[in-house]
Amino acid sequence: MPLATATLRRTRRLAAAALLAAAALSLTACQNGGEPAPAASSSSAGDPTAADGGAQGGSGGEPGKGVSRTGAGKTAATGGGGQGGASAGNKGVGGTWVGTLKWLTEDKLTVAPKDGMEQAFHLTDSTKALGAAALCEAPDGRVHTDGSGYGTTSCSLADLRKAARLGSVDVRVTVVNGVATKIAEHYHP
């Protein structure tokens, strides 16, 4: 392959990677209706979760109850707010979000709460996807949910990606260090 062709391809890849990075940062850079997030305090410098609104749980693990954001110094009481938290040595946000599943890239999706910021997360082979009806169906054709109305049928990552492209499936996403560990569809007939 000629050197000029290889250089052009490398440049295109770098430009695409920069564009994706900028898009990912823009999803978590603003809060409260487009206001820029406050600068991280010096105690959180070097912690990437502080700059991108990493959330810490404020009420013993119940989604959407008294959530505080690291570095922001504000409390949000929205129904889909993130919580959990990232410790100092971890890379990426952690918490639980409830909202609509949306597509970003092949291995990166977002969850968009009704009130609050859209949160991006990565998929891995260990991400557990649980459906009720829209994400995937049970082999017996019935809807299987837990006591909270979230699906319990195991789905594939391909099912998850397909649902994200539709942009109409409500889910609860649990994220650890920027990676989704569990995504469960909220069933509503």
Side-chain angles (χ1 to χ4, degrees):
M1 171 177 348
L3 182 61
T5 303
T7 303
L8 180 61
R9 285 186 182 168
R10 191 172 312 126
T11 303
R12 285 183 182 166
R13 280 190 211 131
L14 287 172
L19 181 63
L20 286 174
L25 286 174
S26 70
L27 288 175
T28 57
C30 294
Q31 64 183 12
N32 298 334
E35 296 174 13
S41 66
S42 61
S43 65
S44 62
D47 180 3
T49 60
D52 70 358
Q56 290 187 327
S59 66
E62 293 180 39
K65 304 275 183 157
V67 178
S68 68
R69 298 206 174 271
T70 305
K74 296 183 180 180
T75 299
T78 61
Q83 66 187 46
S87 61
N90 296 334
K91 304 281 186 193
V93 71
T96 299
W97 287 267
V98 175
T100 305
L101 186 67
K102 295 188 177 186
W103 174 265
L104 192 58
T105 69
E106 186 70 17
D107 291 319
K108 193 169 188 180
L109 306 179
T110 67
V111 61
K114 289 182 177 156
D115 295 326
M117 280 190 328
E118 187 170 6
Q119 179 61 53
F121 56 87
H122 293 277
L123 296 178
T124 64
D125 291 336
S126 62
T127 300
K128 186 175 184 178
L130 301 172
L135 190 56
C136 68
E137 291 184 4
D140 63 4
R142 296 176 45 205
V143 174
H144 298 275
T145 61
D146 63 11
S148 300
Y150 288 94
T152 58
T153 302
S154 241
C155 302
S156 69
L157 290 181
D159 293 329
L160 197 58
R161 290 179 179 112
K162 183 178 177 183
R165 286 179 192 251
L166 292 174
S168 61
V169 178
D170 290 333
V171 295
R172 178 180 60 207
V173 181
T174 303
V175 178
V176 176
N177 299 329
V179 176
T181 57
K182 182 178 172 184
I183 301 173
E185 172 192 351
H186 185 251
Y187 179 69
H188 43 86

